[in-house]
Amino acid sequence: MSRLDKIYLGTNTKMTKTIADTELFLTELSTLLSDLNRETLELFVIPSFTTLERAKKISAEGKIRIGAQNMCWAPEGQFTGEVSVSMLRELDIDLVEIGHSERRHVFGESDEEVNKKVLMATTHGMTPLLCIGETLSQKQYGISDEVLSTQLKIGLNGISKDEARKLWIAYEPVWAIGVNGIPADEHYANEKHKVIKNVLVSMFGEEVGGDIPVLYGGSVNNGNADILISQKFIDGLFIGRSAWDAKNLNEIIRSVIPLFEKRKDI
Ligand code: PGA
């Protein structure tokens, strides 16, 4: 079975939900989605560190995979304010988002640091959700493909084929994310997903590289989710603001699943 037989849908709640908010959100989402078949849907929520223990308990019944928004590249030690891989494993977290645009552009994370985090995640059996994307000026210079390729080649340096079998990628153009973001149109997004998939195949071969899920993120909403998921190279959606209301996320999920299924018939 290919990993791409499933649709990948999830959200990073950033720094917006307290433990109480996360509890409400996950409980509502679990109820709303209780009838959906999880063999073909990988549903994930990535809330703040402080909520993880509680989130993990609630999601067990709702079959929602819980991930962390970041982690340290060092295994332990004198790193004030950081959270280590073993701290996440202790909570039974096996999914970690690495290199989100805000980590790179607000907190100055480099591709080399991202790579160390990816390696730390894979050596501990976690699924890294590596986020990549070009800035507006890189797009305007016409170097988006080179930037994506560089982010993948440095970010995934040293990852074995076997480790790549766990990897997920999110393509999130920096200019498309957040309140001032302009969503990428579906043709542009699909074209960049194809570029990403080609790089992954060149790194890990067709069987492994061609089977790595690539999700699109950046101003996904009820108005564009359908057209985005209908594109050949888009394997899932990584949603911010539009997913933070459980009812809204439920609507998006129910709308895109049949379209994804239809794609398989073509
Ligand atoms: P957005 O966030 O959907 O609110 O643009 C996307 C993201 O940062 O992953």
Side-chain angles (χ1 to χ4, degrees), residues 14 100-102 172-183 216-221 239-242 244:
K14 306 193 181 181
H100 183 271
S101 160
E102 287 143 23
E172 302 201 302
V174 179
W175 45 270
I177 296 175
V179 278
N180 298 319
I182 308 144
Y216 172 79
S219 294
V220 175
N221 56 51
I239 315 166
R241 289 155 297 151
S242 300
W244 298 341

Side-chain angles (χ1 to χ4, degrees), residues 149-170:
S149 173
T150 303
Q151 289 178 342
L152 287 170
K153 287 185 179 165
I154 300 178
L156 300 175
N157 183 47
I159 298 299
S160 70
K161 255 192 190 184
D162 233 28
E163 289 166 336
R165 287 179 201 276
K166 288 205 157 179
L167 192 66
W168 302 359
I169 303 290

Side-chain angles (χ1 to χ4, degrees), residues 28 38 136 251:
E28 193 178 358
R38 295 311 158 82
L136 184 59
E251 266 177 34

Side-chain angles (χ1 to χ4, degrees), residues 6 14 30 36 39 66 74 83 104 143 161 165 171 204 212-213 251:
K6 286 186 186 183
K14 306 193 181 181
S30 302
L36 291 186
E39 270 162 41
I66 300 294
V83 169
R104 292 176 188 264
I143 57 166
K161 255 192 190 184
R165 287 179 201 276
Y171 169 56
F204 302 111
I212 296 171
E251 266 177 34

Side-chain angles (χ1 to χ4, degrees), residues 2 22 38 42 46 50 84 88 108 114 142-143 153 159 165 182 195 207 217 233 253 264:
S2 162
T22 305
R38 295 311 158 82
E42 180 82 51
I46 306 189
T50 53
S84 75
L88 295 178
V114 164
I143 57 166
K153 287 185 179 165
I159 298 299
R165 287 179 201 276
I182 308 144
V195 168
E207 191 217 336
F233 300 110
I253 291 173
K264 288 193 206 162

Side-chain angles (χ1 to χ4, degrees), residues 191-202:
E191 186 194 303
K192 295 304 160 219
H193 277 239
K194 190 174 176 199
V195 168
I196 292 166
K197 282 175 181 277
N198 285 339
V199 176
L200 293 171
V201 167
S202 77

